[in-house]
Amino acid sequence: MEERQALSIFAALSQETRLRIVRLLVVAGEPGLPAGAIAEEMGTAASTMSFHLKELEQAGLVRSRRESRSIIYTAEYGALSGLIRFLMEDCCAGRREVCEPALAVATGCCAPDAPRACS
Amino acid sequence: MEERQALSIFAALSQETRLRIVRLLVVAGEPGLPAGAIAEEMGTAASTMSFHLKELEQAGLVRSRRESRSIIYTAEYGALSGLIRFLMEDCCAGRREVCEPALAVATGCCAPDAPRACS
DNA sequence: TCCATATTTCGATATCTCTAGAAACATTGC
DNA sequence: GCAATGTTTCTAGAGATATCGAAATATGGA
């Protein structure tokens, strides 16, 4: 991942509503959620939600598709794992203090007998 | 890591100069670098650098100590690994698409025969 | 075609962020 | 005590961001 996209993703995730949107969409999974449902869940005006969703889409964190009258948003898992990779490779440079704790978490998350949720 | 601190860290890292500062300090390691040296490296005014360093310190990404006339800044590795953990545990919830690629990176980074740098 | 629904774009406003010069503060050495 | 050095705080201004109502756009159904 290039620095420019990482900066863009950090900016996108630094806003409370947008972080909650990403969380919501990650849990929602493949089927995703229509913009209106997200706005209702967050308690914001439709236009405000549209603004935030555009930010997230431009950062590459979500993808949208039209389905009849609705526009359905889904999480882009690759952007999230790419960001984690960026943090480890960029911040690990020359040091292991960052990478090793991350390895421990990832190992716990992804063990064959781990529950579906990683926390 | 609490959502509040994660938001604060995302905001801190969403600014190009600050991201570069973190990178610089991670590489600098334990001895750290004085504010003036960082400002010179980045080509910013001392007051601007002070502003950014304060942001980073408030986010918990760096720590400062006085040494004679200089103030030395060092990276807080725990905040970085904590952020990675936050991303994995918060975004992995119910899904493995994020965690598994992260595990692959971390494994490569931290293998016994891996070079000091993780990328 | 016309109306209802879902969402985005536009316009305006309030707030926050970034920048750097000037002044203030802290430390050291003479 | 005084000057030099290193850093922070203050102040101000330019630019970016977040919010929402109103208007515009797109789709589906009667």
Side-chain angles (χ1 to χ4, degrees):
Chain A
M1 175 174 297
E2 295 187 9
E3 170 175 311
R4 239 193 50 222
Q5 196 193 354
L7 285 167
S8 172
I9 292 182
F10 284 134
L13 296 180
S14 71
Q15 212 279 337
E16 187 174 4
T17 301
R18 286 195 295 258
L19 182 58
R20 286 170 57 207
I21 294 170
V22 170
R23 220 182 251 141
L24 188 66
L25 291 180
V26 165
V27 173
E30 176 62 30
L33 288 171
I38 305 174
E40 191 177 9
E41 178 78 22
M42 301 289 155
T44 70
S47 57
T48 302
M49 183 51 57
S50 186
F51 168 79
H52 286 311
L53 288 170
K54 193 168 68 174
E55 293 284 307
L56 289 171
E57 189 161 27
Q58 282 178 170
L61 280 166
V62 308
R63 169 198 301 263
S64 67
R65 65 177 195 273
R66 178 174 280 280
E67 235 171 59
S68 177
R69 266 182 288 215
S70 294
I71 298 196
I72 309 291
Y73 284 87
T74 49
E76 275 283 358
Y77 298 109
L80 290 162
S81 56
L83 184 68
I84 294 172
R85 178 186 197 110
F86 177 87
L87 280 168
M88 285 195 282
E89 296 192 338
D90 204 59
C91 295
C92 219
R95 299 269 152 192
R96 294 194 172 191
E97 288 91 334
V98 178
C99 244
E100 279 175 351
L103 176 61
V105 176
T107 303
C109 269
C110 299
D113 59 338
R116 255 164 55 94
C118 79
S119 57
Chain B
M1 173 175 297
E2 295 186 8
E3 169 174 313
R4 221 181 125 74
Q5 196 193 354
L7 284 168
S8 171
I9 293 182
F10 284 134
L13 295 180
S14 71
Q15 212 279 337
E16 187 173 5
T17 302
R18 287 195 295 259
L19 183 59
R20 285 171 57 208
I21 295 170
V22 169
R23 222 183 249 142
L24 187 66
L25 291 180
V26 165
V27 173
E30 176 61 31
L33 289 171
I38 306 175
E40 192 177 8
E41 178 78 23
M42 301 288 156
T44 70
S47 57
T48 301
M49 184 49 58
S50 188
F51 166 80
H52 287 310
L53 288 170
K54 194 168 68 173
E55 294 281 308
L56 288 171
E57 189 160 29
Q58 282 177 170
L61 280 166
V62 308
R63 170 199 302 263
S64 68
R65 65 177 195 273
R66 179 175 279 280
E67 236 172 59
S68 178
R69 266 183 287 218
S70 294
I71 300 197
I72 309 291
Y73 285 86
T74 49
E76 275 283 358
Y77 299 108
L80 290 163
S81 56
L83 183 68
I84 294 172
R85 178 187 197 109
F86 177 86
L87 279 168
M88 285 196 282
E89 297 192 337
D90 204 60
C91 295
C92 220
R95 300 269 150 191
R96 295 193 171 190
E97 288 92 333
V98 177
C99 245
E100 279 176 351
L103 175 60
V105 177
T107 303
C109 271
C110 299
D113 59 338
R116 256 166 53 93
C118 78
S119 56

